[in-house]
Amino acid sequence: MTRSIVRTPYSGTITVDFVTQPRAACRDEDPELFFPIGETGPALLQEEEAKAVCRRCPLTESCLEGALEREENAGVWGGMSEKERRALQRRAARQQSRNA
């Protein structure tokens, strides 16, 4: 939590507590990094570089959840490629059908 002093025209000076939100590690990266073109050679290297950014991010889990909810079909989201997300969704669907 961050504490700041704010001057207002109405009540002089007040102290306000701000809850600092974690910042996504990808925020300062080139967005193109997360959307490799192709599935071989340089694209695989680019995908691994994007995943390395995700590994140091405090928001990886929520990013992946959002990508799954939005059915993102391209790029690296939450540390997973589109193929990995599709496989995860297939496993979850199989598990859900077994439990039904």
Side-chain angles (χ1 to χ4, degrees), residues 1 6-7 9 15 20 26 28 30 34 36 44 53 58 63 78 82 92-94 98:
M1 185 166 10
V6 179
R7 295 192 195 295
T15 301
T20 55
C26 61
D28 299 321
D30 180 354
F34 299 91
L44 290 177
V53 172
C63 179
E82 55 264 28
R94 279 195 303 268
R98 287 184 197 144

Side-chain angles (χ1 to χ4, degrees), residues 36-55:
I37 297 174
E39 297 179 359
T40 61
L44 290 177
L45 178 60
Q46 183 177 343
E47 182 179 293
E48 285 307 313
E49 289 175 13
K51 289 178 181 181
V53 172
C54 295
R55 284 191 291 272

